Amino acid sequence: MKIQRIAILAGIAAIASLFMGESVSWGQKPPPPANPQAPTINPLPTGIQRGKATDLLISGTLLASPTGASLGTPAKVAIPKEDKNGSDAGKFKVRIEVPADTPIGYYPFRIATLKGVSNLRVLCVDDLPQIAATGANRTRTTAQNIPVPCTVNGAVAAEAGDFYKFTAKAGQRLSFDCLARRVGSAIDAYIYLYNAKTGRELAYDNDSPGCQNDPRIVNYTFKEAGDYILEVKDVLNRGGAEYFYRIRIGDFPVATTALPMAAKRGTKAKIGFAGPGVDGVAPVDLAVSADPAAEVEWVAPKGASGLLGWPVPVMISDVEETLEKEPNDTPKEANRINVPAGVTGRFEKGGDTDCFVFSAKKGQKLAIEGTTLEYY
């Protein structure tokens, strides 16, 4: 099933500029040089559980005398004073707690010291318990035991995978959603699912559509009760601190795209979901931001188990947004839309055609743009 959004915008004009000789004008001044005393932070454990205080060990450079941390959402932030915390230029501990009703998703994380503000890392807020990799789980025989549901956070070593062992019941259904490129990692991850007793491979994924090369195993149902092993590894056997990942494990919906893919700024919209694991998932009511600078809302599907799937983006538009209505396979059946407008459609079968009709004035200029990969 292919999904696309078409935007038809009125009054678009092309402007050409000619630069003669060597005279060049800039729309803005070049940025100032980087602060050489500003701290830098290495990759984080990448996730915290909402409603629960979490201690994060921050490592990097020039970290002495930290004054705070920013998460881009309301949070309680504390820097413990015991054990000379904050005096080491290479690491310090920060305690973070976000409210239990904080939307799950991606958040920009920075720390500050007396000398400046750090680079940005992505920190995820989740509703699942967070499990840190031990680093001693590089083989099947040393696989790390984990509970289900949970999210595991780790980083692979070169020429090695990370292995996790868990117990499943007969008939239990689980999904495995690996976030890596989506959180700024260098890893091109793949995941395998094995029977721990027999070693037999049960499922595998490398690049899941709409996930920036991240893998997913969706709605796997275990036929037998017992122990199972999940492996994560880089496809080119690379590894190191920048090859980090987080894998969500549980019976939650797995969405790829919001339906519609965009909603008008300052309105209320009902958002559905498309993807390999969203059957029966109810649409979500969304109050779209009226902020003129806002570009996207993130909406999470909720399953019958009560667990949330990872959110998908809803782009914020300044025109009316609609969903196509079938049948519209021929010009006679075309959906009528107003201009300017945006419409989200789906090719639900091979050879499908979607037709739309609109009115235009003589001499009117229109731009018609289709977007697919940009919206995942």
Side-chain angles (χ1 to χ4, degrees), residues 55-66:
D55 287 341
L56 294 180
L57 182 62
I58 308 299
S59 65
T61 63
L62 304 174
L63 298 179
S65 303

Side-chain angles (χ1 to χ4, degrees), residues 25-212:
S25 63
W26 296 93
Q28 63 184 31
K29 295 180 180 179
N35 177 5
Q37 300 183 70
T40 62
I41 55 176
N42 295 330
L44 304 168
T46 72
I48 59 176
Q49 185 178 4
R50 60 186 185 175
K52 182 179 179 180
T54 303
D55 287 341
L56 294 180
L57 182 62
I58 308 299
S59 65
T61 63
L62 304 174
L63 298 179
S65 303
T67 57
S70 171
L71 186 55
T73 188
K76 295 180 181 178
V77 177
I79 299 173
K81 300 299 183 181
E82 62 267 16
D83 300 324
K84 297 182 179 180
N85 186 53
S87 61
D88 189 332
K91 62 183 178 181
F92 76 96
K93 183 171 66 176
V94 61
R95 183 167 296 139
I96 299 177
E97 181 178 356
V98 299
D101 60 352
T102 301
I104 73 169
Y106 312 99
Y107 290 88
F109 182 84
R110 297 179 188 268
I111 65 99
T113 70
L114 293 175
K115 300 297 181 63
V117 178
S118 76
N119 56 312
L120 183 147
R121 292 288 184 177
V122 176
L123 187 67
C124 294
V125 172
D126 208 331
D127 61 341
L128 299 179
Q130 305 293 294
I131 306 296
T134 63
N137 58 339
R138 307 299 191 191
T139 67
R140 291 195 200 186
T141 56
T142 61
Q144 180 177 345
N145 289 303
I146 58 172
V148 173
C150 75
T151 296
V152 296
N153 299 279
V156 297
E159 304 294 334
D162 283 358
F163 295 83
Y164 299 94
K165 181 186 289 187
F166 61 92
T167 301
K169 300 177 181 178
Q172 185 174 4
R173 186 180 70 176
L174 294 174
S175 291
F176 305 83
D177 190 359
C178 178
L179 288 90
R181 291 291 178 88
R182 287 175 284 170
V183 291
S185 176
I187 190 175
D188 184 359
Y190 65 80
I191 52 177
Y192 280 101
L193 183 63
Y194 304 102
N195 183 304
K197 183 177 181 180
T198 66
R200 184 167 65 90
E201 178 189 327
L202 304 175
Y204 160 84
D205 192 57
N206 181 3
D207 299 334
S208 186
C211 295
Q212 301 178 42

Side-chain angles (χ1 to χ4, degrees), residues 193-344:
L193 183 63
Y194 304 102
N195 183 304
K197 183 177 181 180
T198 66
R200 184 167 65 90
E201 178 189 327
L202 304 175
Y204 160 84
D205 192 57
N206 181 3
D207 299 334
S208 186
C211 295
Q212 301 178 42
N213 294 340
D214 287 345
R216 285 171 160 175
I217 296 174
V218 181
N219 289 349
Y220 185 87
T221 301
F222 294 86
K223 296 180 180 179
E224 301 176 351
D227 291 337
Y228 295 87
I229 290 177
L230 182 74
E231 177 190 11
V232 56
K233 194 174 183 181
D234 181 74
V235 296
L236 297 178
N237 286 319
R238 300 167 298 177
E242 294 290 346
Y243 292 81
F244 54 88
Y245 61 86
R246 54 187 279 106
I247 303 178
R248 306 183 80 240
I249 304 172
D251 185 13
F252 45 72
V254 179
T256 302
T257 308
L259 292 175
M261 299 162 71
K264 188 177 181 180
R265 191 181 310 275
T267 64
K268 294 182 178 180
K270 192 171 287 290
I271 306 299
F273 303 92
V278 293
D279 290 345
V281 174
V284 173
D285 291 322
L286 175 65
V288 186
S289 173
D291 185 347
E295 296 180 345
V296 64
E297 300 274 11
W298 292 89
V299 183
K302 189 173 184 178
S305 67
L307 296 180
L308 293 167
W310 199 245
V312 292
V314 178
M315 307 310 293
I316 299 178
S317 167
D318 289 310
V319 298
E320 293 296 333
E321 297 286 340
T322 60
L323 272 171
E324 67 148 328
K325 296 181 180 179
E326 294 284 359
N328 64 341
D329 291 357
T330 66
K332 291 183 178 180
E333 300 171 308
N335 292 170
R336 177 165 288 278
I337 56 177
N338 297 319
V339 172
V343 58
T344 297

